[in-house]
Amino acid sequence: MSKPQLPIIADLSALPRIPDPVPSPSNEPSLDDLTLQFTQALSDIRSKLPKELQNPKVGIVCGSGLQGLAEILQDRIEVPYNEITGFGESTVRGHQSCLSFGFLGPSRTPVVAQLGRFHAYEGFPLHQVVYPIRIMKLLGCKASIITNAAGGLNEQNKVGTILTILDHISLPSMTSMNPLIGQNRETLGPRFPPMSDAYDFELRKQAFRSARELGFEKGVLKEGVYAWVAGPTYETKAEQRFLRAAGADAVGMSTVPEVIAARHAGMKVLVLSLITNIVVATPYRSAEDAVDAEVNGTTKEGEEEEKEDEVANHQEVLDASAKRADDMRALVEKIIEKSYGGEAK
Ligand code: HPA
């Protein structure tokens, strides 16, 4: 039989170009270009807003399935990303792509909500992931309230628990992926910002006061440590055990780059993570034991069948978010009312 003929590719440059999949801060625009981009973006946004919304006090980042947060904004105005210089377009199912401006709560606090965030796993460089946070800062936001859907590593927490994040572990930024790598923007913040105080204590207390006022059952709002993984793969069992042993209560693929950029720029930060799935490692099945049992004829009925391990999936995350979305909305509204409803803090 003759061998099949393979086509000979003479010119490699004729092959379709695949974009660099590794997010690298080194392909960031120069400081001058970035300053121009920021200036243009601010004017793109402000040209679409009435004066009272041009300087929002708080920036809210809406996580997976939590985009409904924007529905409670009064006199809402949406500015699509493709009308703002320097914005990308979020590619994740269940995420929109706009900044939503409006007033929140009885005191009508002006806020901006980011609907559709950029993740490293989509291939976005980190300077792009944190671009909306820097725009929020430049618009005048004093605080950033960041929400996300996360996997629960602590067996004490159930699906539907909301964690007020008090610290993070970021293996990507401890090794190579930090949005501040590259030339420092002195006008935004210092070269070496601390992160040991990243999660604002006053805002965390307001979260717990608000939960009480809203009548949340004890245990719905808790505290914990968030571990950022680059994704898009969910964790292996060994990774789950590793992160838990390192002290993480929740794991997710977002938020930490935004927290770093917000703290660098001097904004206060509150992070609320909704536990949407449980990632407590189940024991391995031993193939060796299974074969020993086969050989010895001691396999118990039903044991030959492959038992499916519970694996995380994106639909489960969206479903769990939808169930708690109203509580998250009410909580964020109450925290902002209590913290920023009166005079600017
Ligand atoms: N792992 C990582 N990210 C996630 C998870 C998870 O289990 N759930 C929601 N986001």
Side-chain angles (χ1 to χ4, degrees):
M1 214 166 79
S2 67
K3 279 193 184 165
Q5 289 291 303
L6 290 175
I8 296 164
I9 299 168
D11 179 7
L12 286 179
S13 68
L15 288 172
R17 274 187 60 84
I18 299 168
D20 182 358
V22 183
S24 147
S26 60
N27 49 24
E28 199 171 2
S30 73
L31 287 189
D32 282 350
D33 288 351
L34 212 76
T35 307
L36 271 180
Q37 236 180 39
F38 283 141
T39 312
Q40 187 56 50
L42 291 188
S43 106
D44 295 340
I45 294 169
R46 287 195 167 130
S47 68
K48 297 183 173 63
L49 299 174
K51 199 159 180 323
E52 314 78 66
L53 282 176
Q54 290 185 3
N55 295 92
K57 285 190 189 167
V58 182
I60 306 165
V61 181
C62 302
S64 284
L66 300 168
Q67 313 240 329
L69 267 170
E71 278 158 28
I72 50 173
L73 298 187
Q74 304 150 35
D75 304 336
R76 179 154 53 116
I77 295 182
E78 301 204 325
V79 184
Y81 289 169
N82 59 15
E83 293 176 16
I84 312 174
T85 303
F87 267 69
E89 199 142 329
S90 169
T91 64
V92 185
R93 182 163 59 93
H95 283 229
Q96 298 171 45
S97 289
C98 67
L99 291 182
S100 197
F101 291 79
F103 301 100
L104 195 59
S107 301
R108 289 178 57 83
T109 311
V111 301
V112 51
Q114 180 189 343
L115 303 184
R117 54 152 53 107
F118 306 109
H119 303 85
Y121 65 73
E122 294 171 86
F124 288 110
L126 292 184
H127 69 86
Q128 188 79 54
V129 172
V130 304
Y131 190 75
I133 294 285
R134 290 176 164 161
I135 292 295
M136 287 174 182
K137 163 72 185 183
L138 295 170
L139 284 168
C141 292
K142 297 174 191 322
S144 178
I145 299 189
I146 302 176
T147 64
N148 63 46
L153 292 161
N154 181 339
E155 30 194 295
Q156 314 251 310
N157 299 330
K158 298 185 293 218
V159 166
T161 302
I162 301 170
L163 288 186
T164 305
I165 298 304
L166 44 74
D167 203 353
H168 72 230
I169 296 171
S170 175
L171 291 174
S173 20
M174 287 168 78
T175 48
S176 64
M177 285 170 67
N178 187 312
L180 305 186
I181 291 175
Q183 269 187 291
N184 186 49
R185 247 150 239 96
E186 293 294 334
T187 48
L188 275 181
R191 172 75 287 189
F192 298 110
M195 283 294 136
S196 52
D197 62 349
Y199 298 87
D200 189 76
F201 189 57
E202 280 310 313
L203 284 174
R204 280 161 45 205
K205 281 200 294 188
Q206 290 293 31
F208 283 93
R209 288 193 195 110
S210 301
R212 279 174 180 257
E213 280 182 32
L214 290 166
F216 281 18
E217 270 175 45
K218 188 93 183 134
V220 170
L221 184 70
K222 296 172 90 173
E223 296 181 275
V225 173
Y226 179 91
W228 176 41
V229 292
T233 45
Y234 287 109
E235 300 65 46
T236 65
K237 291 181 187 197
E239 288 162 351
Q240 293 169 8
R241 283 197 308 272
F242 173 79
L243 292 171
R244 181 68 191 131
D249 299 290
V251 54
M253 304 175 194
S254 68
T255 300
V256 167
E258 289 132 321
V259 169
I260 292 174
R263 291 303 297 148
H264 175 243
M267 292 161 91
K268 290 186 179 178
V269 165
L270 176 72
V271 172
L272 298 170
S273 291
L274 174 63
I275 302 298
T276 51
N277 56 293
I278 298 299
V279 286
V280 175
T282 49
Y284 297 108
R285 292 185 308 131
S286 162
E288 184 179 9
D289 291 351
V291 171
D292 287 349
E294 254 171 43
V295 171
N296 299 331
T298 54
T299 305
K300 295 194 200 92
E301 208 177 322
E303 254 184 16
E304 317 86 359
E305 287 159 33
E306 278 282 304
K307 261 196 247 125
E308 293 221 348
D309 274 326
E310 282 204 16
V311 293
N313 71 75
H314 189 53
Q315 191 55 48
E316 170 187 35
V317 170
L318 292 179
D319 292 347
S321 305
K323 288 211 181 98
R324 265 277 179 242
D326 287 346
D327 291 334
M328 279 289 251
R329 241 192 322 241
L331 189 60
V332 170
E333 181 175 13
K334 184 69 103 185
I335 295 166
I336 292 178
E337 180 66 19
K338 288 169 84 66
S339 303
Y340 295 95
E343 277 306 293
K345 288 198 185 124

